Amino acid sequence: MEITVKGIPVSYIENGDGDWALVLQGWGTSITLYTPIIDTLAEKYHVIAPDLPGFGETPEPPEPWDVGDYADFVLEFCEKLGITECMLFAHSFGGRITLKLMAKKDPRLKVNKLVLTGAAGIRHEPSEQAKKKAKAYQRGKKFLSSALMRTLFPNALEKFRMKHGSADYKAASPMMRQVLVKTVNEDLSPLLPMCDPETLLIWGRNDDAAPLEDGQRMEKEMPAAALVTIDNAGHFAFVDQQYLFLRVLAAFIGLSL
């Protein structure tokens, strides 16, 4: 299905009947990856799952958005569909958006139940080695950004960025690389105490993108959160251990699988 929000044609999945449930995806994914989760939630809820701008079938935003821009997008998306209250499931980048949404306390949308898995948003103090690498990267970037180097070697700066960038950065378009830089550099950990719905945190023990310690901190600092850890699972715990993940999710929303 499709609806236009902020001038962007947004592709979304709709499934089930009942109270509303909203699914927010992780960075670089298509919402179809979350079909098992959508189908499980649809046993009880009327599920809406959009491809966020820049992901899946939805075009990129018109300019480099930050997390707040994505939160505003979700509010307008829900408003257009008549969603005023919902349970919310979010993974990874969707977790960033959720933390921002919960801090906004916007009266247009009330979240009464929340599931976060591999949620991003906590920025870690870099190691000394990482700091040295960052300084070296900035020196190289500054050198290659000079007018002379851009004239002599016009592609050198982009090649340098690609060599030193993360997998997400390398896979992203030029626009989404700017979005990635803006979003990952914002530390949302001060917002954790404002995330007050009843919350289930489901974490893969081997998550190397949003480490387990992030889930443990969220459990400690969110007012009504409980953490379930899944062994032999990483950042996509719902793929690595799908059966167990869905059983945990179902129990939380009052279903028996």
Side-chain angles (χ1 to χ4, degrees), residues 1-3 10-14:
M1 303 186 75
E2 188 175 291
I3 188 172
V10 180
S11 175
Y12 68 95
I13 294 173
E14 185 170 4

Side-chain angles (χ1 to χ4, degrees), residues 89 115-119 200-204 226-230 237 245 248-249:
F89 177 100
V115 178
L116 297 176
T117 182
L200 173 64
L201 306 165
I202 313 178
W203 236 263
L227 174 66
V228 173
T229 304
I230 298 182
F245 189 102
V248 172
L249 174 62

